[in-house]
Amino acid sequence: MKSILIGLLILFFSQNSYALEKTVRVGVTGGLPNLIAAELAYVKLSPFAFGITFGGFPVQNLISSRMSLSTIPLSVTSGSTYTITPSATYFLNGMELFMNFYPWKSAFFIRFSYANLAFQLNGTGALNNVTAGTTLPGAISIVANK
């Protein structure tokens, strides 16, 4: 099995695999709508190429640095002191279907595409009993999609 995989990798990356090169292109792209994406394209129909990209934008640190989550004090009449400690993770993922048109058969192309971006927020809150020193993790759970 190992030798078959190595043979396929050598075929894929060798200089003599012109037929594979002219049919399918696999790559990593950057730009909009996805900052970092993996691309798969069918390039056999010159001057056109059709493909799909899947990628995302690393938004966790960007959002966390701009919008910090603070501990929330709760007011109850039982005499104990409670707080909620929130935390959140953020994801921005995208998918793009595209058609490239190469009018002069060079590196210049015009891209027609349909892109779909998805933002997701996963939030949790731990309920802390400050008086007793206990914590109930995951007391609150939030998932928001857009």
Side-chain angles (χ1 to χ4, degrees):
M1 182 67 176
K2 218 181 207 184
S3 61
I4 293 172
L5 180 61
I6 292 170
L8 288 173
L9 288 173
I10 290 170
L11 174 67
F12 185 75
F13 290 109
S14 86
Q15 294 294 332
N16 296 327
S17 61
Y18 296 115
L20 187 60
E21 249 178 59
K22 292 181 181 179
T23 304
V24 175
R25 180 180 68 233
V26 177
V28 177
T29 62
L32 295 175
N34 300 313
L35 181 63
I36 303 166
E39 176 178 295
L40 177 65
Y42 181 74
V43 295
K44 189 74 172 173
L45 301 171
S46 181
F48 297 99
F50 298 91
I52 188 167
T53 63
F54 294 100
F57 190 85
V59 295
Q60 179 67 38
N61 291 337
L62 180 67
I63 294 176
S64 295
S65 67
R66 301 277 191 262
M67 186 178 69
S68 62
L69 301 175
S70 305
T71 301
I72 303 166
L74 296 177
S75 176
V76 293
T77 59
S78 68
S80 295
T81 304
Y82 291 95
T83 61
I84 294 178
T85 306
S87 64
T89 54
Y90 310 95
F91 303 96
L92 181 61
N93 301 313
M95 181 272 308
E96 176 187 20
L97 297 171
F98 66 85
M99 178 187 78
N100 289 349
F101 173 61
Y102 297 87
W104 298 287
K105 296 188 180 187
S106 65
F108 175 79
F109 62 87
I110 300 169
R111 176 171 279 188
F112 303 94
S113 68
Y114 168 77
N116 184 16
L117 293 174
F119 179 78
Q120 182 176 354
L121 160 73
N122 295 330
T124 60
L127 180 62
N128 307 309
N129 184 337
V130 178
T131 307
T134 59
T135 300
L136 177 61
I140 299 171
S141 180
I142 299 169
V143 175
N145 295 308
K146 179 63 180 158

